[in-house]
Amino acid sequence: MVRFLSENWGNILVLAVIAAAVVGVLVSSHRKRKSGCGCGCDSCPSNGICHPKQ
């Protein structure tokens, strides 16, 4: 196991950075959607998702 880690530490590091970026984008997207997206929603095609009519 130690040999595998020592031979592939560069790949593991790059994969960890990419995974952290993807998680960050997903969390940010979720927060924006939950808060009403934070944009001018009048012309947004997803207006019905962010602001459902009651």
Side-chain angles (χ1 to χ4, degrees), residues 8-33:
N8 295 303
W9 70 271
N11 292 336
I12 294 169
L13 180 64
V14 170
L15 182 62
V17 169
I18 292 172
V22 169
V23 168
V25 168
L26 291 174
V27 168
S28 174
S29 175
H30 178 71
R31 285 183 181 166
K32 283 183 181 179
R33 178 180 282 183

Side-chain angles (χ1 to χ4, degrees):
M1 181 70 168
V2 174
R3 181 177 176 200
F4 173 80
L5 292 175
S6 66
E7 291 176 353
N8 295 303
W9 70 271
N11 292 336
I12 294 169
L13 180 64
V14 170
L15 182 62
V17 169
I18 292 172
V22 169
V23 168
V25 168
L26 291 174
V27 168
S28 174
S29 175
H30 178 71
R31 285 183 181 166
K32 283 183 181 179
R33 178 180 282 183
K34 192 171 183 180
S35 71
C37 77
C39 63
C41 292
D42 294 335
S43 62
C44 181
S46 298
N47 188 9
I49 296 171
C50 292
H51 307 284
K53 296 182 182 187
Q54 297 178 359

